[in-house]
Amino acid sequence: MKEIIKKYIQKLPKRKVFHFEGFCANCEHPVNGSFCSNCGQSVKDFHRPFFSVLSESLGDALSLDNKFLHTIVPLFVRPGYLTKEFMKGKRARYTPPFRLYLFLTFFAFLLLSHNHMPETQAEKNFTFTTGEGKDVDVLSYFEDMVDENKNQIDSLESDSLTNSELKKGLFNLNISQDTAQTAQSITFGGKGGKNNKFGNSDIKRVIDMWKLNPTLMMDNVYKKLSQTLLIILPVFALFLALFYIRRKHYLLEHLLISLNFHSFIFVIVIVSELLIMTKLGFLQSFAFYLYLLIPVQLFLALKFYYRQSWIKTIVKFFMLSFIYNILLISGILYSLISLVVE
């Protein structure tokens, strides 16, 4: 079997090795190789057809070389190992952590936007069928709820004005008005534009934006969410540093743990979305259970990297998981609210 694989590998097209002897165009230093030893600039010649340059650039950016394979395997099976190797100085063998994170983020959100864009009218209206066989239109339900709430507030405010005129200051003239404001704030946080609260008009605006172009709105949500996750990543690293402050680790180590953990999350998202694309029922069900590996990965990374007792690791795992869920939910809510504010 090994001989068959070797013969197959030998038949694969080999990448041409570029060698140059002369002077660097940037600093005029003597060059013997592919890069200048003085300034580091590549000596590739770009006086050639555009598509040749384009194909080479895409190949360099998207190729899955040995570094990627050496990185993705321990990322799955050895939590915390990549951070240890990085801090030991063994970095040439692996894909740089932040570059890996950016690549996985791009690919994951590309698959999410492809698989979860509303296409049918039922998907656009969030229509689902109950156990009794009735179709429920969630979008219309929210519209009716917003309109009904607005009518109730207008009615209460009208009653408030009437009572104020009738009582003429003999009693507390603001009771009904306060009631209207309280009802307004309890339902959806007040009218849009007042005190920066997320109110009825804001919800109505989100619904109108969704009806107008749901695909564009989903793209904006994914864009905002990817930016928010980039903020959550260092914040979570700071919480790791706080929880393990007595272990005397550098902040970079906590950041690498957070970075590799998020990279693992996106690997799970990518594999899950690829399984969903198969349209096979049992694989789509399995795709959901893959997400259960995420808390397992975090727990094992905490245990094997920080090397504390099982009890301490379990306690810190639950506390960090709770904090991370709050950060994630806050990030999702921010992504939605920012669509209205902009």
Side-chain angles (χ1 to χ4, degrees):
M1 186 65 181
K2 291 183 179 180
E3 294 179 358
I4 297 174
I5 295 174
K6 287 182 180 179
K7 290 181 180 179
Y8 177 75
I9 293 175
Q10 291 174 357
K11 292 180 180 179
L12 293 174
K14 296 182 179 179
R15 191 170 183 173
K16 295 180 181 180
V17 179
F18 181 79
H19 188 82
F20 175 83
E21 291 185 7
F23 293 92
C24 176
N26 183 51
C27 64
E28 299 183 354
H29 190 272
V31 178
N32 185 11
S34 301
F35 296 89
C36 175
S37 59
N38 184 46
C39 66
Q41 177 173 287
S42 172
V43 294
K44 290 181 181 178
D45 183 18
F46 289 94
H47 292 88
R48 49 199 171 104
F50 170 75
F51 288 103
S52 173
V53 177
L54 180 63
S55 62
E56 183 179 313
S57 300
L58 289 175
D60 291 339
L62 302 177
S63 61
L64 299 180
D65 54 7
N66 290 334
K67 284 187 176 182
F68 182 82
L69 296 177
H70 290 154
T71 305
I72 208 71
V73 173
L75 184 66
F76 252 93
V77 300
R78 302 184 69 178
Y81 175 78
L82 291 175
T83 304
K84 290 180 180 179
E85 292 288 281
F86 188 94
M87 297 307 297
K88 288 179 181 178
K90 299 179 180 179
R91 297 185 285 270
R93 180 183 175 90
Y94 308 104
T95 303
F98 193 66
R99 184 187 300 174
L100 178 69
Y101 171 83
L102 291 179
F103 172 77
L104 294 175
T105 303
F106 170 77
F107 195 33
F109 279 103
L110 186 67
L111 291 175
L112 285 170
S113 62
H114 177 271
N115 289 348
H116 301 285
M117 285 299 175
E119 298 177 356
T120 64
Q121 194 63 33
E123 291 176 346
K124 292 179 181 179
N125 294 334
F126 295 104
T127 303
F128 65 93
T129 305
T130 62
E132 300 175 354
K134 295 181 180 180
D135 291 335
V136 178
D137 190 340
V138 178
L139 198 63
S140 298
Y141 173 76
F142 271 105
E143 279 189 299
D144 295 339
M145 188 168 59
V146 170
D147 293 337
E148 182 180 354
N149 180 71
K150 185 177 182 301
N151 292 333
Q152 289 178 356
I153 292 172
D154 292 340
S155 177
L156 286 171
E157 290 177 346
S158 177
D159 293 341
S160 172
L161 292 174
T162 303
N163 291 335
S164 298
E165 292 176 357
L166 290 175
K167 293 183 180 181
K168 295 181 179 180
L170 294 178
F171 300 100
N172 186 0
L173 306 183
N174 295 322
I175 294 177
S176 298
Q177 189 174 358
D178 292 341
T179 305
Q181 292 176 353
T182 303
Q184 185 178 352
S185 62
I186 289 174
T187 49
F188 293 105
K191 290 184 178 180
K194 290 184 179 182
N195 299 326
N196 296 323
K197 292 181 179 179
F198 194 68
N200 294 335
S201 60
D202 296 324
I203 295 176
K204 184 68 175 177
R205 183 182 174 189
V206 171
I207 294 174
D208 292 339
M209 290 171 59
W210 177 265
K211 283 186 171 182
L212 183 64
N213 196 335
T215 302
L216 179 61
M217 186 174 176
M218 287 295 293
D219 285 336
N220 290 333
V221 169
Y222 286 137
K223 179 182 177 181
K224 291 292 182 182
L225 186 57
S226 63
Q227 295 172 354
T228 306
L229 287 173
L230 204 57
I231 299 173
I232 292 176
L233 193 152
V235 173
F236 185 64
L238 290 176
F239 277 104
L240 285 172
L242 180 63
F243 274 71
Y244 291 95
I245 193 171
R246 298 178 63 183
R247 305 297 292 181
K248 296 181 180 180
H249 289 287
Y250 292 103
L251 182 59
L252 177 62
E253 298 177 67
H254 305 298
L255 185 60
L256 288 172
I257 290 291
S258 178
L259 199 57
N260 290 327
F261 172 62
H262 283 83
S263 296
F264 178 83
I265 292 176
F266 286 119
V267 171
I268 294 296
V269 172
I270 291 170
V271 174
S272 176
E273 294 302 318
L274 290 175
L275 292 177
I276 291 174
M277 291 177 65
T278 62
K279 304 295 184 181
L280 298 176
F282 69 97
L283 287 180
Q284 289 181 336
S285 300
F286 179 70
F288 171 76
Y289 292 107
L290 281 177
Y291 286 94
L292 298 177
L293 294 176
I294 294 176
V296 176
Q297 167 77 9
L298 177 60
F299 175 78
L300 294 178
L302 297 178
K303 173 59 184 173
F304 294 135
Y305 189 79
Y306 295 107
R307 295 184 177 277
Q308 287 191 325
S309 65
W310 287 98
I311 299 297
K312 287 184 178 180
T313 304
I314 291 173
V315 172
K316 291 184 178 182
F317 163 73
F318 280 111
M319 295 175 69
L320 285 169
S321 298
F322 177 74
I323 292 172
Y324 185 81
N325 287 328
I326 292 177
L327 292 174
L328 184 60
I329 294 172
S330 301
I332 294 173
L333 291 176
Y334 166 77
S335 302
L336 295 173
I337 293 175
S338 61
L339 295 176
V340 179
V341 176
E342 291 183 351

